[in-house]
Amino acid sequence: MREPKLASAARRALDCTLASAALLLVSPLLLLTGVLTWLTLGRPILFRQARTGLGGRLFTLYKFRTMTEARDADGRPLPDKARLTPVGRFLRWVSFDEFPQLLNVLKGDMSLVGPRPLLPEYLARYNAFQRRRHEVKPGITGWAQVNGRNTLTWEQKFELDVWYVDHWTLWLDLKILAMTLWQVVTRRGISQPGHATMPEFSGSPHSTGSHTAEAGRSNVAV
Protein backbone atom coordinates (compact mmCIF):
# COMPACT_ATOMS: atom_id res chain seq x y z
CA MET A 1 0.00 0.00 0.00
CA ARG A 2 1.64 3.21 -1.18
CA GLU A 3 1.22 6.54 0.59
CA PRO A 4 -0.55 9.28 -1.40
CA LYS A 5 2.00 11.75 -2.79
CA LEU A 6 0.61 14.64 -0.74
CA ALA A 7 0.80 12.63 2.49
CA SER A 8 4.32 11.49 1.65
CA ALA A 9 5.41 15.08 1.00
CA ALA A 10 3.84 16.24 4.27
CA ARG A 11 5.62 13.49 6.20
CA ARG A 12 8.95 14.37 4.56
CA ALA A 13 8.49 18.07 5.38
CA LEU A 14 7.74 17.21 9.01
CA ASP A 15 10.75 14.89 9.18
CA CYS A 16 13.19 17.44 7.77
CA THR A 17 11.88 20.32 9.88
CA LEU A 18 11.89 18.46 13.19
CA ALA A 19 15.14 16.56 12.53
CA SER A 20 16.99 19.78 11.64
CA ALA A 21 15.64 21.54 14.73
CA ALA A 22 16.52 18.56 16.93
CA LEU A 23 20.10 18.45 15.61
CA LEU A 24 20.55 22.11 16.48
CA LEU A 25 19.06 21.68 19.94
CA VAL A 26 21.05 18.59 20.87
CA SER A 27 24.35 19.56 19.23
CA PRO A 28 26.07 20.11 22.63
CA LEU A 29 24.87 16.66 23.73
CA LEU A 30 26.10 15.17 20.46
CA LEU A 31 29.55 16.61 21.11
CA LEU A 32 29.59 15.39 24.72
CA THR A 33 28.37 11.91 23.73
CA GLY A 34 30.99 11.71 21.00
CA VAL A 35 33.76 12.59 23.44
CA LEU A 36 32.54 10.05 26.02
CA THR A 37 32.36 7.35 23.35
CA TRP A 38 35.87 8.18 22.11
CA LEU A 39 37.31 8.14 25.65
CA THR A 40 35.73 4.77 26.55
CA LEU A 41 35.73 2.89 23.23
CA GLY A 42 38.10 4.79 20.97
CA ARG A 43 37.49 5.14 17.28
CA PRO A 44 35.24 4.83 15.38
CA ILE A 45 32.73 6.81 17.42
CA LEU A 46 29.77 5.82 15.29
CA PHE A 47 28.37 2.34 14.88
CA ARG A 48 27.42 1.67 11.25
CA GLN A 49 25.32 -1.29 10.21
CA ALA A 50 23.22 -2.33 7.23
CA ARG A 51 19.49 -2.26 7.99
CA THR A 52 16.36 -2.84 5.94
CA GLY A 53 14.28 0.16 4.92
CA LEU A 54 11.34 1.03 2.72
CA GLY A 55 10.47 -1.79 0.33
CA GLY A 56 13.20 -4.01 1.79
CA ARG A 57 16.00 -1.80 0.46
CA LEU A 58 19.22 -1.66 2.47
CA PHE A 59 20.75 1.46 3.98
CA THR A 60 23.48 2.25 6.54
CA LEU A 61 22.18 3.02 10.03
CA TYR A 62 24.15 5.34 12.33
CA LYS A 63 24.31 5.11 16.12
CA PHE A 64 26.83 5.99 18.80
CA ARG A 65 28.84 2.93 19.79
CA THR A 66 27.86 1.45 23.14
CA MET A 67 29.59 -1.96 23.12
CA THR A 68 33.10 -3.33 22.82
CA GLU A 69 34.22 -5.81 20.14
CA ALA A 70 35.05 -8.49 22.76
CA ARG A 71 34.86 -12.07 21.44
CA ASP A 72 35.10 -15.55 22.91
CA ALA A 73 37.81 -18.14 22.21
CA ASP A 74 36.05 -19.18 19.00
CA GLY A 75 35.95 -15.63 17.67
CA ARG A 76 32.22 -15.12 18.26
CA PRO A 77 31.01 -11.84 19.83
CA LEU A 78 30.25 -12.10 23.53
CA PRO A 79 26.63 -11.54 24.62
CA ASP A 80 25.47 -7.92 24.49
CA LYS A 81 25.37 -7.74 28.29
CA ALA A 82 29.07 -8.60 28.49
CA ARG A 83 30.09 -6.10 25.79
CA LEU A 84 27.95 -3.16 26.92
CA THR A 85 30.12 -0.57 28.68
CA PRO A 86 28.92 1.50 31.67
CA VAL A 87 28.90 4.61 29.45
CA GLY A 88 27.11 2.65 26.73
CA ARG A 89 24.50 1.47 29.22
CA PHE A 90 23.91 5.07 30.27
CA LEU A 91 23.65 6.25 26.66
CA ARG A 92 21.01 3.61 25.99
CA TRP A 93 19.21 4.44 29.21
CA VAL A 94 18.78 8.07 28.11
CA SER A 95 18.48 7.12 24.39
CA PHE A 96 21.42 9.35 23.42
CA ASP A 97 22.89 6.55 21.29
CA GLU A 98 20.02 7.08 18.81
CA PHE A 99 20.84 10.74 18.03
CA PRO A 100 22.94 10.03 14.88
CA GLN A 101 19.84 8.55 13.25
CA LEU A 102 18.66 12.12 12.75
CA LEU A 103 21.22 12.10 9.91
CA ASN A 104 19.44 9.05 8.45
CA VAL A 105 16.20 11.04 8.57
CA LEU A 106 17.73 14.00 6.73
CA LYS A 107 19.22 11.65 4.13
CA GLY A 108 15.77 10.19 3.51
CA ASP A 109 16.63 6.65 4.69
CA MET A 110 14.32 6.94 7.69
CA SER A 111 11.44 8.93 9.13
CA LEU A 112 11.18 10.20 12.68
CA VAL A 113 8.30 7.75 13.20
CA GLY A 114 7.91 4.28 11.73
CA PRO A 115 8.72 0.62 12.41
CA ARG A 116 12.25 0.25 13.72
CA PRO A 117 14.82 -0.77 11.06
CA LEU A 118 15.96 -4.34 11.58
CA LEU A 119 18.75 -6.57 10.28
CA PRO A 120 18.70 -7.69 6.62
CA GLU A 121 18.81 -11.37 7.60
CA TYR A 122 15.37 -10.99 9.20
CA LEU A 123 13.77 -10.46 5.77
CA ALA A 124 13.78 -14.19 5.00
CA ARG A 125 12.29 -14.94 8.43
CA TYR A 126 9.19 -12.74 8.09
CA ASN A 127 5.85 -14.15 7.08
CA ALA A 128 3.79 -12.18 4.54
CA PHE A 129 1.99 -10.22 7.24
CA GLN A 130 5.18 -9.21 9.07
CA ARG A 131 6.82 -8.15 5.80
CA ARG A 132 4.20 -5.39 5.46
CA ARG A 133 6.13 -3.34 8.02
CA HIS A 134 8.38 -2.35 5.10
CA GLU A 135 5.55 -0.53 3.30
CA VAL A 136 6.65 2.67 5.09
CA LYS A 137 10.06 4.09 5.97
CA PRO A 138 11.56 2.87 9.24
CA GLY A 139 11.63 5.32 12.13
CA ILE A 140 13.68 6.38 15.13
CA THR A 141 10.60 5.69 17.22
CA GLY A 142 7.35 3.96 16.43
CA TRP A 143 3.98 2.67 17.59
CA ALA A 144 5.54 -0.48 19.03
CA GLN A 145 8.16 1.57 20.89
CA VAL A 146 5.57 3.64 22.77
CA ASN A 147 3.44 0.58 23.54
CA GLY A 148 5.98 -1.67 25.21
CA ARG A 149 9.20 -1.40 23.20
CA ASN A 150 11.56 -4.27 24.13
CA THR A 151 9.19 -5.72 26.75
CA LEU A 152 7.04 -6.98 23.83
CA THR A 153 7.57 -10.19 21.91
CA TRP A 154 8.64 -9.90 18.28
CA GLU A 155 5.17 -10.96 17.16
CA GLN A 156 3.51 -8.26 19.27
CA LYS A 157 5.89 -5.63 17.87
CA PHE A 158 5.21 -6.68 14.28
CA GLU A 159 1.45 -6.53 14.84
CA LEU A 160 1.79 -2.98 16.15
CA ASP A 161 4.08 -2.09 13.22
CA VAL A 162 1.50 -3.23 10.68
CA TRP A 163 -1.28 -1.49 12.61
CA TYR A 164 0.72 1.71 12.21
CA VAL A 165 1.12 1.10 8.47
CA ASP A 166 -2.66 0.75 8.10
CA HIS A 167 -3.60 3.70 10.33
CA TRP A 168 -0.89 6.28 9.63
CA THR A 169 -1.73 9.99 9.88
CA LEU A 170 0.39 13.04 10.66
CA TRP A 171 -1.57 13.38 13.90
CA LEU A 172 -0.62 9.83 14.87
CA ASP A 173 3.06 10.65 14.19
CA LEU A 174 2.87 13.74 16.41
CA LYS A 175 1.18 11.71 19.13
CA ILE A 176 3.89 9.04 18.96
CA LEU A 177 6.62 11.68 19.20
CA ALA A 178 4.96 13.14 22.31
CA MET A 179 4.57 9.67 23.84
CA THR A 180 8.24 8.94 23.05
CA LEU A 181 9.38 11.99 25.01
CA TRP A 182 7.33 10.80 27.98
CA GLN A 183 8.75 7.30 27.67
CA VAL A 184 12.33 8.62 27.64
CA VAL A 185 11.57 10.45 30.90
CA THR A 186 9.89 7.45 32.58
CA ARG A 187 12.42 4.91 31.19
CA ARG A 188 9.87 2.20 30.31
CA GLY A 189 10.56 -0.82 28.09
CA ILE A 190 14.31 -0.50 27.56
CA SER A 191 15.00 -4.24 27.57
CA GLN A 192 13.43 -7.63 28.08
CA PRO A 193 14.03 -9.41 31.40
CA GLY A 194 17.28 -11.35 31.16
CA HIS A 195 18.51 -9.46 28.09
CA ALA A 196 20.56 -6.28 27.74
CA THR A 197 18.86 -5.72 24.39
CA MET A 198 16.10 -7.40 22.36
CA PRO A 199 16.97 -11.05 21.61
CA GLU A 200 17.42 -12.06 17.97
CA PHE A 201 14.31 -12.72 15.88
CA SER A 202 14.48 -16.27 14.57
CA GLY A 203 11.09 -16.43 12.87
CA SER A 204 7.52 -16.97 14.06
CA PRO A 205 6.25 -20.51 14.55
CA HIS A 206 2.71 -19.49 13.58
CA SER A 207 1.16 -16.82 11.37
CA THR A 208 0.35 -13.52 13.09
CA GLY A 209 -1.97 -10.70 12.30
CA SER A 210 -5.41 -11.80 13.46
CA HIS A 211 -5.28 -9.52 16.50
CA THR A 212 -3.61 -6.50 14.91
CA ALA A 213 -6.64 -4.20 14.89
CA GLU A 214 -7.50 -5.19 18.47
CA ALA A 215 -3.90 -4.58 19.59
CA GLY A 216 -3.90 -1.16 17.97
CA ARG A 217 -7.22 -0.12 19.47
CA SER A 218 -6.23 -1.30 22.94
CA ASN A 219 -3.21 1.01 22.88
CA VAL A 220 -4.66 4.08 21.17
CA ALA A 221 -5.55 5.73 24.45
CA VAL A 222 -2.18 5.06 26.09
Side-chain angles (χ1 to χ4, degrees), residues 117-130:
L118 300 178
L119 297 171
E121 48 264 40
Y122 289 5
L123 274 175
R125 304 173 189 175
Y126 296 142
N127 58 38
F129 171 80
Q130 294 166 347

Side-chain angles (χ1 to χ4, degrees), residues 39-82:
L39 290 174
T40 55
L41 290 171
R43 299 176 62 184
I45 293 173
L46 292 182
F47 171 76
R48 296 173 174 86
Q49 188 177 56
R51 296 292 176 97
T52 310
L54 178 65
R57 292 186 292 272
L58 300 185
F59 71 96
T60 301
L61 178 91
Y62 304 119
K63 296 178 71 171
F64 281 118
R65 288 178 63 205
T66 57
M67 294 188 288
T68 70
E69 299 293 333
R71 297 177 180 271
D72 62 19
D74 296 322
R76 293 172 297 190
L78 294 177
D80 290 351
K81 185 176 181 180

Side-chain angles (χ1 to χ4, degrees), residues 141 143 145-147 172-186 188 219-222:
T141 186
W143 191 233
Q145 281 60 54
V146 297
N147 283 294
L172 179 59
D173 275 3
L174 291 171
K175 179 177 181 177
I176 291 172
L177 289 171
M179 293 173 71
T180 299
L181 290 176
W182 174 249
Q183 188 180 73
V184 168
V185 171
T186 57
R188 293 185 300 131
N219 287 285
V220 162
V222 172

Side-chain angles (χ1 to χ4, degrees), residues 90-133:
F90 172 77
L91 294 180
R92 291 191 176 199
W93 186 66
V94 294
S95 299
F96 284 3
D97 62 314
E98 309 284 356
F99 281 160
Q101 289 167 55
L102 292 169
L103 298 175
N104 286 119
V105 173
L106 293 178
K107 288 176 60 181
D109 298 324
M110 296 175 61
S111 289
L112 291 173
V113 179
R116 286 295 293 158
L118 300 178
L119 297 171
E121 48 264 40
Y122 289 5
L123 274 175
R125 304 173 189 175
Y126 296 142
N127 58 38
F129 171 80
Q130 294 166 347
R131 201 170 291 114
R132 291 196 58 219
R133 68 193 303 278

Side-chain angles (χ1 to χ4, degrees), residues 147-203:
N147 283 294
R149 198 173 175 178
N150 287 341
T151 61
L152 302 172
T153 65
W154 280 112
E155 287 74 20
Q156 289 171 328
K157 292 174 75 170
F158 294 150
E159 289 196 1
L160 289 169
D161 287 343
V162 176
W163 187 94
Y164 171 83
V165 170
D166 289 335
H167 296 81
W168 175 83
T169 63
L170 279 179
W171 168 246
L172 179 59
D173 275 3
L174 291 171
K175 179 177 181 177
I176 291 172
L177 289 171
M179 293 173 71
T180 299
L181 290 176
W182 174 249
Q183 188 180 73
V184 168
V185 171
T186 57
R187 311 314 313 147
R188 293 185 300 131
I190 299 302
S191 62
Q192 280 199 338
H195 296 272
T197 57
M198 191 72 181
E200 182 178 351
F201 173 63
S202 57

Side-chain angles (χ1 to χ4, degrees), residues 196-219:
T197 57
M198 191 72 181
E200 182 178 351
F201 173 63
S202 57
S204 299
H206 303 292
S207 178
T208 65
S210 58
H211 303 295
T212 305
E214 180 182 350
R217 285 195 300 269
S218 69
N219 287 285

